[in-house]
Amino acid sequence: MPDFTLAARSPLAGAAALAESWPGFAVSEVTDLALASLATRRGRETEVRNRAKARFDLEPPPPGRTASGDGMTFLWTGHEQWFVEAQESALGGLEALLRETFEDSAAVTDQSDAWANLRLEGPATRAVLEKLCPLDLHPGAFPPGATARTTMEHLSAIITLRDDRWRFSILTPRSSAGSFLHHLHQAADSACGAT
Amino acid sequence: MTAPDRIVAKEGIAAREAARPAGAAAAASCRRREGGLIDRSRSLSFSFDGKAFAGHPGDTLASALLANGVRLLGRSFKYHRPRGVLTAGSEEPNALVELRGGARREPNTRATVVELYDGLEAASQNRWPSLRFDLAGAGDLLSPLLTAGFYYKTFMWPAAFWEKVYEPLIRRAAGLGRLSGAPDPDSYEKSYAFCDVLVIGAGPAGLMAALTAGRAGARVILADEDFRVGGRLLAETHEVGGRPGPLWADDVLAELAGLDNVRCLPRTTVYGVYDGGTYGALERVADHLPVPPPGRPRQRLWKIVARRAVLAAGATERPIAFGDNDRPGILLAGAQRSYLNRFGVLTGSRTAVFTCSDDGWRSAADLVRAGAEVAAVIDTRPDARCPDGLTGLEDVALIAGGRVVETRGRLGLTSIDCLDRDGRRRSLAVDGLAVSGGWNPALHLTCHQGARPVWRDDLATFLPADDLPPGLAVAGAAAGGFSTAAALAQGAERGAAAAEAAGHAVRKPEPPEAEDGPVAVTPFWHVKESRARAWLDFQNDVTVKDVALAHREGFRSVEHLKRYTTLGMATDQGKTANVQALAIMAELTGKSIPETGTTVFRPPYTPVAISAFAGRSRGKDFRPVRKTPSHDWAVEQGAVFVETGAWLRAQWFPRPGETHWRQSVDREVLAVRNAVGVCDVTTLGKIDIQGADAGAFLNRVYANGFAKLPLGKVRYGLMLREDGFVMDDGTTARLGEAHYVMTTTTAKAVPVFRHLEFCRQVLWPGLDLQLISTTEQWAQFAVAGPRARDLLREIVDPDHDISNQAFPYMACGEVTVCGGTRARLFRLSFSGELAYEVAVPARYGDAMIRALMAAGAAFEVTPYGTEALGVLRIEKGHPAGNELNGQTTAANLGMGRMVSKKKDCIGNVLSERPGLNAPDDLRLVGFVPLDRRAQLTAGAHFIALGRAAVAAEDQGYMTSVAHSPNLGHSIGLGLIQRGGERIGEKVRAVDLVRGADVEVEIVSPHFIDPEGERLRA
Amino acid sequence: MRIPCPLCGERDASEFTYLGDAGPRRPDPTAPDAAEAFHDYLHLRDNPAGWHVELWYHEAGCRSWLQVSRNTLTHELGEVRRAEDLGLDEPSP
């Protein structure tokens, strides 16, 4: 039988815009994180929290927040729903690990391939994002560890502040990630000057 | 100082005037050697109507033209009257020019706010052949015929002339600038901002408000339409805290610039107030440059969300209406001072002042101080005298109780006639006239949520109402605080209150000292003795007589007056006209101004280009593009793409030698029927449904039964709306005890998800189920055709048995492919052939299509696009978007029996409505042309043979057509009354739009394999 | 307009999808007058000038269906609650 082994391809593989950088701003694609959604089954709220605590030593975060522990980061995405991130290598299947952890107390769905994961960083990041993001990203309103789902240029986006300065990440749907990156590129040119 | 005799009307005026030569000096307006806020050390060249001029940084186009002695800037909209500059701000009705050239040409820009740059090109508008000799100016002689309501009265009959004769005629004669007609080469963008306090206007009130809130630590945005902060301080000679006004403004700006929590936006007009503390603002990022720098937009549209806002937009001066008050050289007094004090420009070599308030006197005082000649102050107040605090006016003639009745000068003012208190007429040789009729607060933004301004008799003006937009306060002249001291104090107070409301502790500031003169105005609207036309709305050429005519003809309400006369329309929205017209209407009706009413204002405050609203959403960036996992591969194959929603899908894959799309599509269809084809179906919506009650939920949202779907099986599902019509269809697979995956049509993926969440959260919150979209997670390919299984055996790892026995029609399961990659396999068929859909995590989608093609080479695999997909499903009689059009029921589609009567589901009850179950209702059937060479058209209506093709004879319509390469002729699906009972009957398919009329036979909709043997093979 | 989502905080109205009056409850499909009741449920709506309780869906955010009190004259917003929580508080039909 011939070998048809499938090679993986990230959502923005080969995108020219990823090779550029601007004074005070850079964007890169994160390709080594697995992602799965976790949604509490009806009436199992306490159990989900206990299992998360026991296995990952973290409390599933409240609305608008992230929480990290034991190689896992939980991003709040909806009522009793989180996106869980983990290093691809730590994986053996994040979906399987979460299923095993939460059993039937929560619904787990692989989202690793559904989103492009962009890292935005640099002191000009907020100046770039104010052209795209309809949320207040001032540190007072969007502190470190904050996360929010919104739309940017008609596209769904989950934005998270990853450190205490200006390192953000944005998850945006895979199929339209090229359009998103194009808009990000234009915003960066406008905020930081075209190269 | 109250001595009325400090200034005396000189008996000698007549003698002095008699001694002057007729006509004005050579250059009526000119630049002074010194003074003003311009940088004389640098020169900027520019052109107007092709002629070269020079100005300085700090100039506007208007000030630079006036500095060069150019007073005639354009022709008026209706009568082509010669017009110059009336104001020095954004309220300008007259001085509209075309700016820039080529694709960047922009019509109707106000020369009074165009910041001068080196190389600026401008041209006058609405004149032919030239500005000085405008032939259409002859229309002015016909003006008695062109009064208000002229269009309504004149261009009525015959109706056939409306479009062909009247409209082109009017459009040619009346008009403003020309668009370039070329795509705008510049970019526009949007930005979002949030603040505690938005301060609108950077005059004394706005600067003080921003400073107070900024010092308290509030997040402040200070926006001003001008390119330099200071507002009215730039135009006057006032001091603030002992510093010249402009320098004080610069000091404040410097302090604000040093505060991290304050953002200053010059060249930014806040044009609208919206709900919830949202403000629209337009920043002219690069309008003051010939071309925007690389990457930068020309303009930026801000959406500002502010907890509090302080409107400190100042005030707009009112003209007074008198005979021929529109000649170049006649300016508002405040504007004349602005040109003098800010730009160092004299707007006349000899100027008279016509005023009904103390404020107009400032013009005389400033002119005298600048060494310019002031012919007279004509003050409408019989007891007029020089206001306190103004000096140097001892030698200026005063005509108390006076009126300017007429003016002269063909292309610019040369003299005026006035009446004195006793009705004596005298002539003054002046080429400049500064007119002040009092000030109107710039309260426009206060009206954007519906509030109506309130008349204040003591100030003779409208003030903002009490029911302001939530969170908005008004300070300074915009609130009736006309003196500099009042503006500073109100700004400080409102700024402090706004910062406090946003949670910041504020130390009460001590406003700096400044002039605090009282408002002394006796309103005076128009000169009754004038016989020539007295202009109210310069931009729309509306006169006092037009208002009188409107009154006589019964158009007396303010809104009627506006529509009848066009007063207050167009780019300036009547900023220098509305209040006077209202006052004149009040006079005519014998009512007070408050009884007569006021017009309210809507956004935008000043014009905003459509490009700014569009922002980046232009051309190919109009909306995002969604690409399928096999997109790059399809590009390599030379596929032709089609937009389906935001998705780009391969429509067909042309091969060398194929010259017509039908050749490609026919080949792809036959390949699926005879061998095997592969199609990317990732775009179908996929929804992951998990939970103990997932099955019960599906049974409620689908019309057909889902309670007993076994594990490892897929079922077709028909979804109804609650009103009984079909919403969508698709399949749902059961992957686990409490785990299902639903597919939707590509178009309905989003609305179906929204509907399911509605059912889950609102209708049945007690059910245990969780929903999440997995459309993007899985790359999914249809593999269809008699050799589909052979191909998949090369792909699916051998430990998974996909034989017909182990994996029959409508089976599904999790498998691995290509040596261990996890995948999902569904035995589904849209084509009617033996078919599967195989899904892999999207990262493997590109590799998967290549693997399928490589593995399929031995089986003559052919990629097929959406066109072939459509032909295959029409041949099989499957309804799709054309049939699920929101107007069809399950019964219409021949699926009435699928709607379970044994359970509650969405749409079940109302699908039983008698109206949806009439015996002669539409049914989906197939159609073939009797003449097999004829082509059917979708949208054709069915008419019985021998009947007229009229609506009353309509029996239904064709929904989908295709050329069937298997049958060798055109086939169609359509909805026709009692269709199922009429197989074999012949009718006409009439398409009046495309001129087609084809006799067709009604047949079964299943053109291929009606028994479904192939898909179970 | 800005809607205070009880989970996400205040967001621009463009993030939400509007459905309409939150008052009507889906009738009992087994009742003898079900057809009439469903007709009322679907098609008969109050159109008050003033306060109105409506259903909005925070589609671009947390995907919660919300019961939003809104003054139709001023666009002032009152109490906003998750419809699911409210539904769970009610006795099921």
Side-chain angles (χ1 to χ4, degrees):
Chain A
M1 191 168 167
D3 180 17
F4 293 125
T5 308
L6 302 178
R9 207 177 133 156
S10 74
L12 289 165
L18 285 174
E20 285 196 39
S21 71
W22 294 260
F25 178 70
V27 56
S28 51
E29 186 183 14
V30 178
T31 57
D32 58 350
L33 286 178
L35 192 68
S37 66
L38 180 79
T40 307
R41 296 272 293 269
R42 176 72 63 210
R44 311 286 284 275
E45 291 82 0
T46 312
E47 191 180 341
V48 163
R49 279 156 182 79
N50 291 342
R51 285 171 182 262
K53 188 79 191 161
R55 181 70 182 252
F56 307 123
D57 193 28
L58 61 73
E59 181 83 17
R65 299 293 303 164
T66 56
S68 296
D70 201 22
M72 299 278 149
T73 298
F74 279 48
L75 293 84
W76 183 90
T77 52
H79 176 68
E80 287 297 317
Q81 189 198 61
W82 300 268
F83 275 10
V84 182
E85 273 180 355
Q87 287 294 317
E88 192 86 58
S89 53
L91 171 55
L94 174 63
E95 189 184 19
L97 173 66
L98 293 174
R99 285 234 168 96
E100 179 202 317
T101 304
F102 293 97
E103 297 184 345
D104 67 349
S105 68
V108 175
T109 306
D110 191 5
Q111 293 281 323
S112 303
D113 295 61
W115 304 83
N117 189 342
L118 292 168
R119 178 157 56 207
L120 287 66
E121 55 198 325
T125 304
R126 284 187 182 83
V128 173
L129 281 173
E130 78 177 3
K131 300 171 193 308
L132 302 171
C133 178
L135 305 182
D136 187 359
L137 298 180
H138 186 272
F142 200 79
T147 186
R149 185 173 188 158
T150 183
T151 51
M152 304 185 195
E153 294 289 344
H154 311 290
L155 293 170
S156 185
I158 299 172
I159 180 165
T160 307
L161 179 56
R162 298 286 182 165
D163 68 4
D164 57 3
R165 294 194 298 168
W166 29 244
R167 193 158 67 83
F168 288 86
S169 73
I170 289 178
L171 296 170
T172 189
R174 177 186 193 102
S175 67
S176 48
S179 286
F180 188 91
L181 188 62
H182 171 66
H183 286 294
L184 190 61
H185 194 280
Q186 288 184 325
D189 277 352
S190 174
C192 310
T195 43
Chain B
M1 303 291 275
T2 54
D5 56 346
R6 276 188 58 218
I7 304 256
V8 182
K10 297 275 167 68
E11 290 307 317
I13 287 182
R16 206 160 71 188
E17 293 301 322
R20 292 184 61 83
S29 61
C30 66
R31 180 90 72 190
R32 298 181 64 226
R33 283 226 181 77
E34 55 196 24
L37 306 169
I38 49 165
D39 178 4
R40 284 188 177 73
S41 68
R42 283 169 56 209
S43 190
L44 303 174
S45 60
F46 70 100
S47 73
F48 179 66
D49 279 346
K51 198 174 164 197
F53 297 99
H56 299 292
D59 261 326
T60 62
L61 175 59
S63 72
L65 284 169
L66 288 169
N68 282 283
V70 179
R71 298 198 297 173
L72 174 63
L73 264 64
R75 292 277 176 165
S76 73
F77 180 69
K78 192 163 150 189
Y79 300 123
H80 292 248
R81 298 266 298 183
R83 293 279 168 81
V85 172
L86 180 70
T87 75
S90 62
E91 68 273 29
E92 176 63 31
N94 267 350
L96 304 183
V97 298
E98 285 174 359
L99 199 62
R100 306 187 189 88
R104 289 194 167 85
R105 187 170 72 202
E106 185 182 351
N108 308 333
T109 58
R110 290 148 292 164
T112 49
V113 295
V114 171
E115 192 175 345
L116 196 69
Y117 57 82
D118 202 44
L120 179 149
E121 287 173 56
S124 57
Q125 303 184 159
N126 204 29
R127 79 291 188 264
W128 189 85
S130 77
L131 184 55
R132 292 180 68 82
F133 302 99
D134 178 13
L135 289 179
D140 198 22
L141 303 175
L142 302 174
S143 63
L145 301 175
L146 300 174
T147 51
F150 156 71
Y151 299 126
Y152 307 127
K153 292 170 186 163
T154 312
F155 294 128
M156 292 287 281
W157 315 105
F161 275 32
W162 289 346
E163 274 185 41
K164 294 211 167 75
V165 181
Y166 294 146
E167 192 181 318
L169 197 75
I170 296 167
R171 284 200 184 280
R172 204 174 319 135
L176 296 168
R178 302 160 302 152
L179 289 163
S180 76
D184 189 333
D186 297 325
S187 65
Y188 299 79
E189 71 177 17
K190 296 185 185 175
S191 278
Y192 303 89
F194 296 79
C195 61
D196 294 327
V197 185
L198 169 66
V199 180
I200 304 159
L207 285 170
M208 207 59 210
L211 190 62
T212 306
R215 282 175 176 168
R219 290 169 67 190
V220 175
I221 293 176
L222 172 63
D224 192 285
E225 60 180 356
D226 208 334
F227 54 88
R228 179 164 182 149
V229 302
R232 200 64 215 155
L233 293 175
L234 305 178
E236 305 287 2
T237 52
H238 302 318
E239 294 198 334
V240 178
R243 293 269 284 161
L247 297 186
W248 176 82
D250 286 349
D251 294 346
V252 173
L253 183 66
E255 181 175 346
L256 292 173
L259 295 174
D260 284 345
N261 52 319
V262 177
R263 173 177 216 154
C264 295
L265 294 175
R267 302 185 179 97
T268 303
T269 304
V270 177
Y271 63 79
V273 182
Y274 301 93
D275 294 310
T278 304
Y279 296 79
L282 181 76
E283 182 182 1
R284 288 168 292 275
V285 179
D287 276 356
H288 61 297
L289 304 170
V291 174
R296 313 273 180 182
R298 174 169 293 284
Q299 296 178 346
R300 181 178 293 139
L301 198 77
W302 286 94
K303 193 167 191 174
I304 300 173
V305 178
R307 299 167 85 169
R308 289 288 187 278
V310 178
L311 177 66
T316 305
E317 201 167 13
R318 301 192 285 247
I320 298 172
F322 52 89
D324 290 331
N325 59 331
D326 63 334
R327 297 193 193 281
I330 304 175
L331 277 78
L332 289 168
Q336 172 270 318
R337 293 198 296 283
S338 184
Y339 289 110
L340 176 64
N341 296 323
R342 176 173 176 179
F343 301 105
V345 170
L346 282 168
T347 52
S349 65
R350 187 165 190 259
T351 304
V353 175
F354 182 28
T355 184
C356 63
S357 73
D358 285 2
D359 195 67
W361 286 77
R362 294 187 198 279
S363 284
D366 289 357
L367 283 164
V368 167
R369 190 180 314 146
E373 190 180 355
V374 178
V377 174
I378 303 136
D379 192 320
T380 57
R381 298 170 296 182
D383 57 348
R385 55 183 178 75
C386 179
D388 295 345
L390 297 184
T391 55
L393 297 175
E394 293 75 10
D395 292 331
V396 171
L398 165 64
I399 303 176
R403 287 87 77 203
V404 177
V405 283
E406 243 77 61
T407 72
R408 277 177 293 277
R410 195 175 72 85
L411 297 176
L413 184 68
T414 53
S415 71
I416 59 174
D417 283 1
C418 18
L419 297 175
D420 68 11
R421 189 165 35 196
D422 305 319
R424 276 175 299 185
R425 193 177 183 107
R426 58 184 66 166
S427 205
L428 296 177
V430 292
D431 53 15
L433 180 63
V435 182
S436 179
W439 292 79
N440 295 324
L443 46 67
H444 305 69
L445 267 60
T446 67
C447 301
H448 287 184
Q449 308 268 293
R452 291 184 167 271
V454 180
W455 181 257
R456 270 276 294 274
D457 255 331
D458 57 332
L459 298 174
T461 196
F462 282 100
L463 290 187
D466 289 333
D467 54 336
L468 294 169
L472 182 77
V474 193
F482 288 110
S483 76
T484 310
L488 293 165
Q490 289 181 8
E493 190 201 316
R494 307 282 192 272
E500 265 169 7
H504 297 272
V506 183
R507 269 186 44 211
K508 284 282 182 236
E510 200 58 45
E513 282 207 10
E515 65 81 28
D516 197 15
V519 174
V521 57
T522 305
F524 190 92
W525 308 109
H526 69 114
V527 177
K528 296 177 187 64
E529 295 87 347
S530 294
R531 288 174 45 209
R533 281 165 299 170
W535 305 88
L536 282 171
D537 184 326
F538 291 69
Q539 187 159 99
N540 292 290
D541 276 350
V542 180
T543 66
V544 173
K545 282 178 185 157
D546 290 324
V547 176
L549 184 69
H551 173 257
R552 273 206 308 283
E553 300 194 341
F555 297 92
R556 295 176 189 182
S557 97
V558 172
E559 299 299 333
H560 289 158
L561 172 65
K562 172 171 178 170
R563 270 79 192 173
Y564 192 62
T565 63
T566 70
L567 180 126
M569 295 188 180
T571 64
D572 69 333
Q573 289 286 294
K575 290 189 180 66
T576 55
N578 287 346
V579 175
Q580 297 91 286
L582 186 70
I584 290 166
M585 183 57 88
E587 246 175 52
L588 291 164
T589 53
K591 289 180 181 170
S592 69
I593 289 174
E595 284 168 337
T596 308
T598 177
T599 52
V600 294
F601 304 94
R602 291 172 296 192
Y605 174 62
T606 51
V608 180
I610 296 285
S611 331
F613 287 115
R616 301 275 185 196
S617 302
R618 274 168 52 181
K620 65 180 172 49
D621 292 341
F622 180 67
R623 65 174 177 191
V625 173
R626 298 177 79 180
K627 291 179 180 169
T628 65
S630 65
H631 183 85
D632 287 356
W633 171 83
V635 170
E636 291 167 25
Q637 307 309 307
V640 173
F641 290 90
V642 61
E643 289 182 21
T644 54
W647 287 103
L648 272 187
R649 299 186 72 181
Q651 197 171 10
W652 64 84
F653 296 85
R655 282 208 180 146
E658 290 173 349
T659 54
H660 189 277
W661 64 270
R662 264 271 310 281
Q663 294 173 302
S664 310
V665 173
D666 286 357
R667 173 180 50 73
E668 291 172 16
V669 169
L670 291 170
V672 172
R673 295 265 179 248
N674 298 321
V676 61
V678 177
C679 181
D680 191 329
V681 293
T682 303
T683 61
L684 294 176
K686 308 177 201 75
I687 301 169
D688 198 66
I689 305 172
Q690 297 185 43
D693 297 320
F697 177 78
L698 287 166
N699 205 39
R700 293 190 197 185
V701 296
Y702 277 133
N704 49 321
F706 259 83
K708 293 180 184 135
L709 178 67
L711 194 64
K713 284 288 183 189
V714 193
R715 185 169 290 175
Y716 174 80
L718 186 69
M719 208 177 273
L720 303 184
R721 305 191 308 228
E722 194 68 278
D723 65 3
F725 287 86
V726 174
M727 173 189 280
D728 196 41
D729 71 349
T731 61
T732 290
R734 188 169 187 184
L735 295 178
E737 268 310 315
H739 187 189
Y740 297 78
V741 174
M742 174 187 284
T743 64
T744 72
T745 59
T746 301
K748 290 286 174 61
V750 170
V752 165
F753 191 89
R754 181 188 307 147
H755 170 69
L756 296 185
E757 283 289 11
F758 173 79
C759 294
R760 183 179 82 93
Q761 296 179 35
V762 181
L763 297 185
W764 308 306
L767 296 184
D768 172 33
L769 77 146
Q770 288 74 40
L771 302 170
I772 191 158
S773 168
T774 52
T775 306
E776 301 268 347
Q777 169 67 23
W778 297 92
Q780 195 150 322
F781 299 93
V783 181
R787 309 209 68 178
R789 188 182 297 116
D790 297 335
L791 194 167
L792 280 173
R793 281 199 165 117
E794 302 289 317
I795 292 291
V796 176
D797 292 338
D799 41 338
H800 303 283
D801 184 358
I802 58 167
S803 67
N804 199 29
Q805 295 70 35
F807 203 81
Y809 179 56
M810 292 309 232
C812 70
E814 292 181 325
V815 297
T816 59
V817 297
C818 301
T821 299
R822 68 196 189 98
R824 289 171 176 175
L825 191 64
F826 309 87
R827 185 147 167 211
L828 289 169
S829 181
F830 196 47
S831 58
E833 297 300 321
L834 166 66
Y836 300 80
E837 289 184 12
V838 59
V840 291
R843 74 184 64 181
Y844 301 115
D846 178 74
M848 188 67 185
I849 185 69
R850 294 172 199 276
L852 285 165
M853 294 308 294
F859 313 104
E860 294 174 63
V861 68
T862 300
Y864 64 102
T866 56
E867 278 304 316
L869 194 71
V871 174
L872 290 161
R873 72 96 189 165
I874 294 168
E875 285 184 339
K876 184 62 187 171
H878 278 313
N882 290 9
E883 288 75 32
L884 309 180
N885 59 11
Q887 302 176 38
T888 48
T889 63
N892 293 150
L893 300 176
M895 295 190 278
R897 274 174 301 174
M898 279 179 70
V899 180
S900 171
K901 308 296 176 203
K902 296 187 202 135
K903 62 166 187 176
D904 173 30
C905 67
I906 298 288
N908 191 328
V909 170
L910 289 184
S911 70
E912 305 268 314
R913 281 188 279 174
L916 299 188
N917 293 278
D920 63 347
D921 214 352
L922 302 175
R923 288 290 180 273
L924 186 72
V925 285
F927 295 87
V928 293
L930 296 188
D931 175 356
R932 294 289 197 252
R933 291 163 305 174
Q935 286 212 358
L936 302 179
T937 55
H941 280 252
F942 301 120
I943 308 287
L945 296 180
R947 311 291 294 195
V950 294
E953 297 286 348
D954 184 20
Q955 296 191 355
Y957 56 98
M958 195 85 81
T959 52
S960 302
V961 301
H963 174 81
S964 166
N966 291 286
L967 300 176
H969 58 80
S970 189
I971 59 171
L973 296 176
L975 294 157
I976 189 167
Q977 290 167 359
R978 297 180 291 105
E981 304 164 19
R982 296 170 66 182
I983 303 295
E985 204 179 303
K986 295 170 181 62
V987 293
R988 288 161 67 196
V990 181
D991 186 339
L992 295 177
V993 177
R994 298 185 193 84
D997 187 346
V998 181
E999 282 192 23
V1000 294
E1001 181 182 342
I1002 303 174
V1003 297
S1004 158
H1006 310 298
F1007 295 94
I1008 295 279
D1009 188 28
E1011 304 307 319
E1013 287 162 8
R1014 295 184 184 204
L1015 48 79
R1016 292 187 172 79
Chain C
M1 199 164 74
R2 295 183 61 81
I3 299 175
C5 172
L7 297 180
C8 303
E10 194 185 271
R11 297 286 183 95
D12 191 88
S14 60
E15 292 198 1
F16 299 79
T17 307
Y18 179 72
L19 184 69
D21 194 348
R25 291 283 177 274
R26 190 168 187 269
D28 175 4
T30 61
D33 64 342
E36 196 59 31
F38 267 85
H39 169 78
D40 290 359
Y41 165 67
L42 264 192
H43 302 299
L44 298 186
R45 288 283 185 276
D46 288 338
N47 184 21
W51 286 101
H52 192 211
V53 181
E54 303 168 331
L55 282 167
W56 291 75
Y57 176 49
H58 194 191
E59 188 150 38
C62 64
R63 317 257 160 146
S64 288
W65 276 93
L66 304 173
Q67 273 207 11
V68 177
S69 290
R70 182 177 69 100
N71 188 321
T72 58
L73 291 176
T74 61
H75 290 185
E76 188 186 348
L77 291 165
E79 191 181 39
V80 180
R81 295 184 62 187
R82 292 185 66 246
E84 188 176 7
D85 295 341
L86 291 166
L88 288 170
D89 294 346
E90 283 180 9
S92 31

